[in-house]
Amino acid sequence: MTWFFSISIVYSFFLWLINCQNFNIIRHLSENSHMPQSRTIRGEQIPLEFYEAIISSDNSKIELQHRLQHFLENLQKNLTTSTVFRDFQTSASRSENYVTKMTELSTFFLDASNSASTFAQESEKFYDLIKNSSYALLLKLRQVPAAQPTQVKILLTNYFSEMEFFHIMFSEIVDEALEYTVGTLRAVQRVFLHFADVQSFILQDWKLKLDFECCKMYMDFLQYHSAQVLKCAAGHELNVAYDVYAVTKTNAKYIMRQLEFRIQRLFNCFIFKSYEIRCQFLQNADRDFESLFSKLEELEMYLDIKTKQGRSSNLRFYRQSQIRYDDVTTKSTEPLSDCLPNDFPYNQIKSELRSCFILFDGK
């Protein structure tokens, strides 16, 4: 029994020495690697700014939606059932009260214009960060130590080319989403700002006569056109822009995490030098990126349906340089310019209402 116990102790000590040696070898390989170990092990390859941009753009989107929500109901309440009309008297205080109501309406459209501008800025920043973050992950492939077997270098070159092609396609599709989202938001911003300026201009320069009939006619005029402007500028096109932003964001987050996973896996592969076991994905780069390209095509198809009336750029993913891409551009947002006619409000104001402005006396 004593002899058996002694043999067990010797055998355990022998295993301990082997484990220590293996640990020292792995630590030596890690120390000689030029890759940042803390970030590699934790898998933090996507910059923090990417997620911060999502939060900022989401907040600006929610703020714009909240500002526009139920506006027609509030418009009806604020203008039609206002105490200005139920108890209107020709006095300085009532006149000031009335002008305040008109100013508040103008301020609303000015604030809505600013909200659309903020969302445009934040979403554009986010779209740019998508492309920049994808490119940053691509560059991380260059951080793999150069001292690799020739066959491994060839596989790395092929893998880099595949990821580079994916980055180019990804950036092009993100640019399409950016063009539509930001273009629509800028168009909405211009419409709201123009309408706010028109209201302020009328109040300041046309000099409305502050009697009940004139106030009532002008209020009806403003109420009608405010509703029309909102329905036009904040209708279908803006809702599509919301959808394009949301779907692009969701897909971009998924794609970036998948790219991060591939970079992390590559780092681990070269840390432990297990090429045959850990690096099998390098032997078929096309297959490794197949699911990501499929996801990218789904996103492109969605954008085609939403922004190009279903016309798809089917040639995008073919690599032959001689093939010309489908010359289909994003649907124009110019129709939003029709939300307010160029001659507004001159031709829209009837003769009865014209007589309520000092500017038009005798005209």
Side-chain angles (χ1 to χ4, degrees):
M1 181 64 69
T2 303
W3 179 83
F4 180 78
F5 183 71
S6 301
I7 292 296
S8 299
I9 293 176
V10 172
Y11 181 72
S12 299
F13 180 73
F14 178 72
L15 290 178
W16 178 79
L17 285 176
I18 293 176
N19 288 334
C20 288
Q21 186 178 10
N22 289 338
F23 175 77
N24 289 332
I25 292 173
I26 294 173
R27 184 177 63 180
H28 176 71
L29 290 174
S30 299
E31 290 173 351
N32 288 338
S33 174
H34 299 294
M35 290 171 282
Q37 297 302 311
S38 60
R39 292 183 63 82
T40 298
I41 293 174
R42 284 170 12 204
E44 297 175 359
Q45 307 297 336
I46 301 176
L48 180 61
E49 291 79 7
F50 175 81
Y51 296 105
E52 291 176 341
I54 292 178
I55 295 174
S56 297
S57 53
D58 277 349
N59 288 341
S60 62
K61 172 176 174 281
I62 293 171
E63 197 275 338
L64 175 60
Q65 289 176 310
H66 178 73
R67 189 175 294 279
L68 298 178
Q69 191 175 19
H70 306 310
F71 175 76
L72 290 179
E73 291 84 350
N74 292 332
L75 181 67
Q76 180 75 18
K77 177 181 178 181
N78 290 342
L79 300 187
T80 303
T81 64
S82 170
T83 56
V84 172
F85 288 133
R86 285 184 307 179
D87 191 21
F88 187 87
Q89 297 178 6
T90 306
S91 65
S93 60
R94 293 298 182 184
S95 299
E96 291 172 1
N97 212 0
Y98 173 75
V99 173
T100 298
K101 286 289 183 182
M102 297 298 97
T103 304
E104 287 175 354
L105 183 63
S106 176
T107 300
F108 164 80
F109 279 99
L110 180 61
D111 291 342
S113 175
N114 292 334
S115 294
S117 175
T118 300
F119 183 29
Q121 294 172 0
E122 295 297 337
S123 60
E124 183 173 13
K125 178 181 177 181
F126 171 57
Y127 287 132
D128 286 338
L129 270 169
I130 294 174
K131 296 182 292 181
N132 293 340
S133 299
S134 173
Y135 184 66
L137 289 177
L138 175 66
L139 292 183
K140 285 183 179 290
L141 287 177
R142 296 304 193 192
Q143 297 180 16
V144 175
Q148 306 295 339
T150 302
Q151 182 61 30
V152 174
K153 288 183 179 180
I154 294 174
L155 294 177
L156 274 173
T157 300
N158 294 337
Y159 198 80
F160 182 90
S161 298
E162 190 69 19
M163 187 168 177
E164 183 179 38
F165 179 70
F166 179 84
H167 165 73
I168 292 172
M169 296 297 99
F170 188 27
S171 297
E172 287 186 5
I173 293 174
V174 169
D175 278 335
E176 290 185 7
L178 184 155
E179 178 186 353
Y180 187 85
T181 305
V182 176
T184 300
L185 289 169
R186 293 298 185 193
V188 172
Q189 174 196 0
R190 288 192 294 269
V191 172
F192 286 164
L193 181 60
H194 184 193
F195 192 59
D197 287 344
V198 166
Q199 294 179 59
S200 298
F201 174 76
I202 291 176
L203 287 176
Q204 294 173 11
D205 293 5
W206 287 18
K207 302 186 185 305
L208 178 68
K209 298 176 182 177
L210 297 178
D211 61 72
F212 179 79
E213 289 301 326
C214 283
C215 289
K216 183 65 171 67
M217 281 192 292
Y218 183 57
M219 192 72 77
D220 290 342
F221 174 84
L222 272 186
Q223 180 177 338
Y224 173 78
H225 286 286
S226 295
Q228 294 303 308
V229 165
L230 193 75
K231 288 178 180 178
C232 179
H236 175 72
E237 297 290 346
L238 184 57
N239 288 327
V240 171
Y242 288 149
D243 292 343
V244 167
Y245 164 78
V247 172
T248 304
K249 177 192 70 175
T250 301
N251 282 272
K253 287 171 63 178
Y254 172 82
I255 289 172
M256 291 301 299
R257 286 168 180 166
Q258 288 297 311
L259 291 176
E260 180 183 46
F261 164 75
R262 280 159 175 77
I263 295 298
Q264 180 65 40
R265 182 181 53 180
L266 188 69
F267 281 4
N268 291 338
C269 167
F270 287 97
I271 284 176
F272 299 106
K273 304 289 185 181
S274 301
Y275 303 125
E276 294 80 5
I277 299 176
R278 296 179 179 271
C279 300
Q280 291 182 1
F281 61 91
L282 284 176
Q283 299 175 10
N284 197 328
D286 291 355
R287 183 179 301 171
D288 195 51
F289 277 87
E290 184 177 356
S291 61
L292 279 180
F293 274 111
S294 177
K295 193 72 174 178
L296 204 55
E297 288 185 82
E298 289 178 8
L299 176 58
E300 183 190 30
M301 184 179 299
Y302 175 85
L303 294 178
D304 287 340
I305 293 173
K306 283 289 187 178
T307 67
K308 300 175 186 176
Q309 298 176 330
R311 295 172 295 177
S312 177
S313 306
N314 292 322
L315 299 179
R316 179 188 300 279
F317 285 91
Y318 287 96
R319 304 185 186 210
Q320 293 88 337
S321 59
Q322 67 271 18
I323 293 181
R324 299 177 62 184
Y325 290 154
D326 194 2
D327 188 21
V328 178
T329 55
T330 305
K331 188 169 59 178
S332 173
T333 56
E334 282 302 313
L336 289 182
S337 62
D338 296 333
C339 292
L340 276 177
N342 292 329
D343 58 358
F344 183 85
Y346 295 96
N347 289 350
Q348 287 71 33
I349 294 182
K350 298 179 180 180
S351 57
E352 293 178 310
L353 184 54
R354 280 177 174 265
S355 64
C356 289
F357 296 97
I358 297 176
L359 177 69
F360 295 108
D361 278 354
K363 298 182 182 180

Coordinates of all heavy atoms in Angstrom, one line a residue, residues 18-62:
I18 N 4.1 18.9 -16.2 CA 3.7 19.0 -17.6 C 2.7 20.2 -17.8 O 2.8 21.0 -18.7 CB 3.1 17.7 -18.1 CG1 4.1 16.6 -18.2 CG2 2.4 17.9 -19.5 CD1 3.6 15.3 -18.6
N19 N 1.8 20.3 -16.9 CA 0.8 21.4 -17.0 C 1.5 22.8 -16.9 O 1.1 23.7 -17.5 CB -0.3 21.3 -15.9 CG -1.2 20.1 -16.2 OD1 -1.4 19.7 -17.3 ND2 -1.8 19.5 -15.1
C20 N 2.4 22.9 -15.9 CA 3.2 24.1 -15.8 C 3.9 24.5 -17.1 O 4.0 25.6 -17.5 CB 4.2 24.0 -14.6 SG 3.3 24.0 -13.0
Q21 N 4.5 23.5 -17.7 CA 5.3 23.7 -18.9 C 4.3 24.2 -20.0 O 4.6 25.1 -20.8 CB 6.0 22.4 -19.3 CG 6.9 22.6 -20.5 CD 7.7 21.4 -20.9 OE1 7.4 20.3 -20.4 NE2 8.6 21.5 -21.8
N22 N 3.2 23.5 -20.2 CA 2.2 23.9 -21.2 C 1.7 25.3 -20.9 O 1.5 26.1 -21.9 CB 1.0 23.0 -21.2 CG 1.4 21.6 -21.8 OD1 2.4 21.5 -22.5 ND2 0.6 20.6 -21.5
F23 N 1.5 25.7 -19.7 CA 1.0 27.0 -19.3 C 2.1 28.1 -19.7 O 1.8 29.1 -20.3 CB 0.7 27.1 -17.9 CG 0.4 28.5 -17.4 CD1 -0.9 29.0 -17.6 CD2 1.3 29.3 -16.7 CE1 -1.2 30.3 -17.2 CE2 1.0 30.6 -16.3 CZ -0.2 31.1 -16.6
N24 N 3.4 27.8 -19.5 CA 4.4 28.7 -19.8 C 4.5 28.9 -21.3 O 4.8 30.0 -21.8 CB 5.8 28.2 -19.3 CG 5.8 28.3 -17.7 OD1 5.2 29.2 -17.2 ND2 6.6 27.5 -17.1
I25 N 4.3 27.8 -22.1 CA 4.4 27.9 -23.6 C 3.3 28.8 -24.1 O 3.5 29.7 -24.9 CB 4.3 26.5 -24.2 CG1 5.5 25.7 -23.9 CG2 4.1 26.6 -25.7 CD1 5.4 24.2 -24.3
I26 N 2.0 28.6 -23.6 CA 0.9 29.4 -24.0 C 1.1 30.9 -23.6 O 0.9 31.8 -24.4 CB -0.4 28.9 -23.4 CG1 -0.7 27.5 -24.0 CG2 -1.6 29.9 -23.7 CD1 -1.9 26.9 -23.3
R27 N 1.6 31.1 -22.4 CA 1.9 32.5 -22.0 C 3.0 33.1 -22.8 O 2.9 34.3 -23.2 CB 2.3 32.5 -20.5 CG 2.5 33.9 -20.0 CD 2.8 33.9 -18.5 NE 4.1 33.2 -18.3 CZ 4.7 33.1 -17.1 NH1 4.0 33.5 -16.0 NH2 5.8 32.5 -16.9
H28 N 4.0 32.3 -23.2 CA 5.1 32.9 -24.1 C 4.5 33.3 -25.4 O 4.8 34.3 -26.0 CB 6.1 31.8 -24.2 CG 7.3 32.2 -25.2 ND1 8.2 33.2 -24.8 CD2 7.6 31.8 -26.4 CE1 9.0 33.4 -25.8 NE2 8.7 32.5 -26.8
L29 N 3.6 32.4 -26.0 CA 3.0 32.8 -27.3 C 2.2 34.0 -27.2 O 2.2 34.9 -28.1 CB 2.2 31.6 -27.8 CG 3.0 30.3 -28.3 CD1 2.0 29.2 -28.6 CD2 3.8 30.6 -29.5
S30 N 1.5 34.2 -26.1 CA 0.6 35.3 -25.9 C 1.5 36.6 -25.8 O 1.1 37.6 -26.3 CB -0.3 35.2 -24.7 OG -1.1 34.0 -24.9
E31 N 2.6 36.5 -25.1 CA 3.4 37.7 -24.8 C 4.1 38.1 -26.1 O 4.3 39.3 -26.4 CB 4.4 37.4 -23.8 CG 3.8 37.2 -22.4 CD 4.9 36.8 -21.3 OE1 6.0 36.4 -21.8 OE2 4.5 36.8 -20.1
N32 N 4.4 37.1 -27.0 CA 5.1 37.5 -28.3 C 4.1 38.0 -29.3 O 4.5 38.6 -30.3 CB 5.8 36.2 -28.8 CG 7.0 35.9 -28.0 OD1 7.6 36.8 -27.3 ND2 7.5 34.7 -28.1
S33 N 2.8 37.8 -29.1 CA 1.8 38.3 -30.0 C 1.7 39.8 -29.9 O 1.8 40.3 -28.8 CB 0.5 37.6 -29.8 OG -0.5 38.2 -30.6
H34 N 1.5 40.5 -31.0 CA 1.5 42.0 -30.9 C 0.0 42.5 -30.8 O -0.2 43.7 -30.9 CB 2.1 42.5 -32.2 CG 3.5 42.2 -32.4 ND1 4.5 42.7 -31.6 CD2 4.1 41.4 -33.3 CE1 5.7 42.2 -32.0 NE2 5.5 41.4 -33.0
M35 N -0.9 41.6 -30.5 CA -2.3 42.0 -30.4 C -2.6 42.3 -29.0 O -2.1 41.7 -28.1 CB -3.2 40.9 -30.9 CG -3.2 40.7 -32.4 SD -4.1 39.2 -32.9 CE -2.9 37.9 -32.5
P36 N -3.5 43.3 -28.7 CA -3.8 43.7 -27.4 C -4.6 42.6 -26.7 O -5.7 42.2 -27.1 CB -4.7 44.9 -27.6 CG -5.2 44.8 -28.9 CD -4.2 44.1 -29.7
Q37 N -4.1 42.0 -25.6 CA -4.6 40.8 -25.0 C -5.9 41.1 -24.3 O -6.9 40.4 -24.4 CB -3.6 40.2 -24.0 CG -2.3 39.8 -24.7 CD -2.6 38.8 -25.8 OE1 -3.4 37.8 -25.5 NE2 -2.1 38.9 -27.0
S38 N -6.0 42.2 -23.6 CA -7.2 42.5 -22.8 C -8.5 42.6 -23.7 O -9.5 42.0 -23.4 CB -7.0 43.8 -21.9 OG -6.8 44.9 -22.8
R39 N -8.3 43.3 -24.8 CA -9.4 43.5 -25.7 C -9.7 42.2 -26.4 O -10.9 41.9 -26.7 CB -9.2 44.7 -26.7 CG -9.1 46.0 -26.0 CD -8.9 47.1 -27.1 NE -10.0 47.2 -28.0 CZ -11.1 47.8 -27.8 NH1 -11.3 48.4 -26.6 NH2 -12.1 47.8 -28.7
T40 N -8.7 41.5 -26.7 CA -8.9 40.2 -27.5 C -9.7 39.2 -26.7 O -10.7 38.7 -27.1 CB -7.6 39.6 -27.9 OG1 -6.9 40.6 -28.7 CG2 -7.8 38.3 -28.6
I41 N -9.3 39.0 -25.4 CA -10.0 38.0 -24.6 C -11.4 38.4 -24.3 O -12.3 37.6 -24.3 CB -9.2 37.8 -23.3 CG1 -7.8 37.2 -23.6 CG2 -9.9 37.0 -22.3 CD1 -6.9 37.1 -22.5
R42 N -11.6 39.7 -24.1 CA -13.0 40.2 -23.8 C -13.8 40.3 -25.0 O -15.0 40.5 -24.9 CB -12.9 41.5 -23.0 CG -12.5 41.3 -21.6 CD -12.1 42.6 -20.9 NE -12.5 43.8 -21.5 CZ -11.9 45.0 -21.3 NH1 -10.9 45.0 -20.4 NH2 -12.3 46.1 -21.8
G43 N -13.2 40.3 -26.2 CA -14.0 40.4 -27.5 C -14.5 41.8 -27.7 O -15.5 41.9 -28.5
E44 N -13.9 42.8 -27.2 CA -14.4 44.1 -27.5 C -13.7 44.7 -28.7 O -12.7 45.4 -28.6 CB -14.2 45.0 -26.2 CG -14.9 44.5 -25.0 CD -14.6 45.3 -23.8 OE1 -13.7 46.2 -23.9 OE2 -15.1 45.0 -22.7
Q45 N -14.3 44.5 -29.8 CA -13.7 44.9 -31.1 C -14.5 46.1 -31.7 O -13.9 46.9 -32.5 CB -13.6 43.8 -32.1 CG -12.9 42.5 -31.6 CD -11.5 42.8 -31.3 OE1 -10.9 43.7 -31.8 NE2 -10.9 42.0 -30.4
I46 N -15.8 46.2 -31.4 CA -16.6 47.3 -31.9 C -16.4 48.5 -31.0 O -16.5 48.4 -29.8 CB -18.1 46.9 -31.9 CG1 -18.3 45.7 -32.8 CG2 -19.0 48.0 -32.4 CD1 -19.7 45.1 -32.8
P47 N -16.1 49.7 -31.6 CA -15.9 50.9 -30.8 C -17.2 51.3 -30.0 O -18.3 51.1 -30.5 CB -15.5 52.0 -31.8 CG -16.0 51.5 -33.1 CD -16.0 50.0 -33.0
L48 N -17.0 51.9 -28.8 CA -18.1 52.3 -28.0 C -18.9 53.4 -28.7 O -20.1 53.4 -28.5 CB -17.5 52.8 -26.7 CG -18.6 53.3 -25.6 CD1 -19.5 52.2 -25.2 CD2 -17.9 53.9 -24.4
E49 N -18.3 54.2 -29.5 CA -19.0 55.2 -30.2 C -20.1 54.7 -31.1 O -21.1 55.4 -31.3 CB -18.0 56.0 -31.1 CG -17.0 56.9 -30.4 CD -15.9 56.1 -29.8 OE1 -15.8 54.9 -30.2 OE2 -15.0 56.6 -29.1
F50 N -20.0 53.5 -31.6 CA -21.0 52.8 -32.4 C -22.3 52.7 -31.6 O -23.4 53.1 -32.1 CB -20.5 51.5 -32.8 CG -21.6 50.7 -33.6 CD1 -21.8 50.9 -34.9 CD2 -22.3 49.6 -33.0 CE1 -22.7 50.2 -35.7 CE2 -23.2 48.9 -33.7 CZ -23.4 49.2 -35.0
Y51 N -22.2 52.2 -30.4 CA -23.4 52.0 -29.5 C -23.9 53.4 -29.0 O -25.2 53.6 -28.8 CB -23.1 51.1 -28.4 CG -22.8 49.7 -28.9 CD1 -21.4 49.3 -28.8 CD2 -23.7 48.8 -29.3 CE1 -21.1 48.0 -29.3 CE2 -23.4 47.6 -29.8 CZ -22.1 47.1 -29.8 OH -21.8 45.9 -30.2
E52 N -23.0 54.3 -28.7 CA -23.5 55.7 -28.3 C -24.2 56.4 -29.4 O -25.2 57.1 -29.1 CB -22.3 56.5 -27.9 CG -21.6 56.0 -26.6 CD -20.3 56.8 -26.3 OE1 -19.8 57.4 -27.3 OE2 -19.9 56.7 -25.2
A53 N -23.8 56.2 -30.7 CA -24.5 56.8 -31.8 C -25.9 56.2 -31.9 O -26.9 56.9 -32.3 CB -23.7 56.6 -33.1
I54 N -26.1 54.9 -31.6 CA -27.4 54.3 -31.7 C -28.3 55.0 -30.7 O -29.5 55.3 -31.0 CB -27.3 52.8 -31.4 CG1 -26.6 52.1 -32.6 CG2 -28.7 52.2 -31.2 CD1 -26.5 50.6 -32.4
I55 N -27.8 55.1 -29.5 CA -28.7 55.8 -28.4 C -29.0 57.2 -28.8 O -30.2 57.6 -28.6 CB -27.9 55.7 -27.1 CG1 -27.6 54.3 -26.6 CG2 -28.6 56.5 -26.0 CD1 -26.8 54.2 -25.4
S56 N -28.1 58.0 -29.3 CA -28.4 59.4 -29.6 C -29.4 59.4 -30.8 O -30.3 60.3 -30.7 CB -27.1 60.1 -30.0 OG -26.2 60.1 -29.0
S57 N -29.2 58.6 -31.8 CA -30.1 58.7 -32.9 C -31.5 58.2 -32.6 O -32.6 58.7 -33.0 CB -29.6 57.9 -34.1 OG -29.2 56.6 -33.8
D58 N -31.6 57.1 -31.7 CA -32.9 56.6 -31.2 C -33.6 57.7 -30.4 O -34.8 57.9 -30.6 CB -32.7 55.4 -30.4 CG -32.5 54.1 -31.2 OD1 -32.8 54.2 -32.4 OD2 -32.1 53.1 -30.6
N59 N -32.9 58.4 -29.6 CA -33.5 59.5 -28.8 C -34.0 60.6 -29.6 O -35.1 61.1 -29.4 CB -32.5 60.0 -27.8 CG -32.2 59.0 -26.6 OD1 -33.0 58.1 -26.4 ND2 -31.1 59.2 -26.0
S60 N -33.3 61.0 -30.6 CA -33.7 62.1 -31.5 C -35.0 61.6 -32.3 O -35.9 62.4 -32.6 CB -32.6 62.5 -32.4 OG -32.2 61.5 -33.3
K61 N -35.0 60.3 -32.7 CA -36.2 59.8 -33.5 C -37.4 59.8 -32.6 O -38.5 60.3 -33.0 CB -35.9 58.4 -33.9 CG -37.0 57.7 -34.6 CD -36.6 56.3 -35.1 CE -37.8 55.5 -35.6 NZ -38.5 54.9 -34.5
I62 N -37.3 59.4 -31.3 CA -38.4 59.4 -30.4 C -38.9 60.8 -30.1 O -40.1 61.0 -30.0 CB -38.0 58.7 -29.1 CG1 -37.7 57.2 -29.4 CG2 -39.0 58.8 -28.0 CD1 -37.1 56.4 -28.2

